[in-house]
Amino acid sequence: MGASAAALYGSEAVNGVLLITTKSGKGKKGLGVDFSASYNADRVAYLPRYQNVRGPGYPLNYNNGGQDANGFISYDTNGDGVKETRGLLGATVNFGPKFDGQPITSWDGVIRPYSPSNNSYGNLFQNTSSSNINLAVSKVSDNSNVRFSFTRQDNGMISYGAKNTKNIANLNASFNPHKRLKMDLMVNFINQYTHNRPFMVDRMINNFTGMMDRFESADWYNTRYQTSLGYRFVNGAGTQSLTPNENIRYNGFKADIADYVWNVRKNESDEYSNRVIASITQHWDIVSGLNLRGRIATDLTSERIENKNYSAVPLAFGYSGGFGMSNNLYNSVYGDLLLTYSKKLNEDMSFSVLGGYTANSALNTTLSRGTNGGLSTENFFDVAASVNVAGGGQSRNRFIRDAYLGTVNFDYKNIVFVEGTIRRDRTSTLAKGSNTFVYPSVNASFVFSDAFRLPSFFSFGKLRASYGVVGNYPGIYAANVAYNQGTLGVQQTGGSSVLFTNLGATYGNDLIRPEQKREIEFGINTKFFNNRLGLDISYYNAQIVDQILPLSIASTTGARAILANIGTLRNQGLEIALNATPIRGKSATDLNWDITLNLAKNVNKVEKLANNSTELLHADYDGNAAQLRSVVGQPMGDIYAHGILQKDGKNVVGPSGLYQLDPAWKKVGNAMPKIVGGFINSFNYKNFSLEAVVDFRIGGSIMPTGINWMTSRGLTEQSLTNMDAERGGLRYYVDNGKGIPTTGTAGPAGQPVYNDGMLMDGVLANGEKNTNIISQAVYYNSTYNWGGPQYSSSRYELYVVDNTYAKMRELSFGYTLPSSIASKIGAQSLTLSVFGRNLFFFYRTIKDLDAEQTNAGTRWTDNVNNAGNNPSFRTTGVMLRASF
């Protein structure tokens, strides 16, 4: 349901409404018992295609770091003055010597064969498992039905040591104390414990010094992230330590990785919460056709959080560690009163009228305290152990919204249906005078298959149309024009505290208007050949007026952004659902095959912006390297980057032998997919069932920056291109900083000859043809690096790629035990099934990550690049269902 659902659901319907109905216990009379249990295992999946040819370091033609011609250095490990073992450069790039399997000193001091470890940041995660057990008991009688269920969930997470457990108790009951009275009761209690929420891997993808090289192994960090005394690792031979022999002293160690391991394996975060969702609903059939419904509901969550950071250094070396705790309470109360009158006017026509009032009040409070300056006693986790005066914070958010609503429904012969709705909202998040808004809707449908005599193959046909307006408003206090108060304390003897005020980063707006979505929708639903073929088509066209977003302003105003009605957007699209039954057996035990195909195409466009602006900047990436914009008159989500500077239609090559970037912006993609959809196949034969769910996406660009930065470090297969003659590298020597082609074994002056050359096709700034050959290490390190033109030669236009894929979302296979056998153990039905999720791709344009891994938030602007995301995982499991 779209905007036409606004009367009942208010602003929550701005993006449509998905209804979820819980089991109520209705069914056949008597006692019923349902049991289900599932177990699944998660494994990290879809990692980048790493190269396993060469390790950390670089050739001499890239840079001279003291390595020999083969790329190695030497260590004196026993202090006798003789460098007896090989080592590696302390480099973040992997353009070093090829793996040869010969002994070499690792950063942990162990001599190992110089071979690829086949490890990556994915090996820092764990394989995990989850289980879910549910038991439900129901009782149905003439005047009541009651269902109670209890669920235990133990959810593992791929982040090391992370887990979540839930105990869920649910009560659904309905009572009919009188023929005109009915009462519904629902109570849902959720007890939850979370240990160590997943720690973001930002420093291992978004930072060059945190990328694991192709030689080292995750196990080395799992062993050396702490000393034998339990303190944080110590880097550097001369660094102060109680265990100096354990100090990291050789090249290759990455403190960012070790710090990540310290955080996930040593530090602890524990969250405890209790949540109650409850409602009681009273129905009163006053007279025939007149019904009054009253409901009161609550959603109450109590949360306690403790964070323990262990002491990183001995107390003799300084204070470290920390402890913080918070207690939060989130309380929402809902209520509504609805009066409905229904009447059948004659044999052909009926109508109903609904009017009512609904309200919602929320109060959220948070209170936190934490140590400041470290712990005065090692690993004593209490605020009392704070070295300095303990810090703290608190917040209190209130929210109130109420609404009057009404609907009118008309039905003619169950062929023509018409509904009109109206709703008036009032909210506390807008200033008085602007905090009320009215939005209507109307929708109609026509079952033409019942109105006309159609060909026999036509089973069903319905046309529908709707128009609706739904309002939306800012978050709590976002529109407030408010100042933060601080104090400088007492500045002179006998004086009072000196107070000051300042603005937050975003300025409110007392004049902000409610956002409105005006949507029209048309659709047709048809079924053919005795319902064996179905087609449902919907077209929608929505205009979002006065959309509310932060608008960037000059920092001289004291804030960086102001909340504003930024303009008008257009959102239109087509949704198609095709259902078919290619094989239908004569009975349920015969072979039956059902197919569902869903397709959706959506186009967003900016029609107008505030202050006559021509474009809206959603994000600037990596210091002006790329931008995400929406330009007036164009589809939303255009991605811009810097192309290659042109001269007379030819690429310009700079003095470094790399392409020179154009300061001007170039459109290189759009973030919106052209089509998204799903394809479901269901097979049933005798007691067996098989279901396959495929998701797909066609078009739309993403910018996987992390993968490209790995290429700049020489970690991916792509970075091997041109590394030697076998891989297409040119033969050259270097003279006065310029690569000269050669077929000899040395240059004219005895210069070394290299076979990893690349020649950029283009001209110099003066128009002459480029002849400067460069090392492929220079090319990949520079072209796929970080930053805009002022920082580097990185070509972000190469980062932006089409994201098309078809994925096996879920595959399940089940067997239902024959009732004659199930009844022998007292069961009415017993089904065992195995399943897998996120199993594999049939096709994908992006090979080095899960195409959905960029989903970092609920806003589409958060899902363009993948820097900092945890890896995705593949799930397999088994489930048992039984009814008694």
Side-chain angles (χ1 to χ4, degrees), residues 156-168:
M157 306 179 198
I158 60 172
S159 182
Y160 186 86
K163 64 179 181 179
N164 168 270
T165 60
K166 290 182 181 179
N167 297 299
I168 305 171

Side-chain angles (χ1 to χ4, degrees), residues 789-806:
Q790 68 273 38
Y791 301 112
S792 69
S793 300
S794 304
R795 292 178 57 195
Y796 273 59
E797 65 171 325
L798 300 178
Y799 298 13
V800 180
V801 289
D802 175 77
N803 186 19
T804 297
Y805 64 85

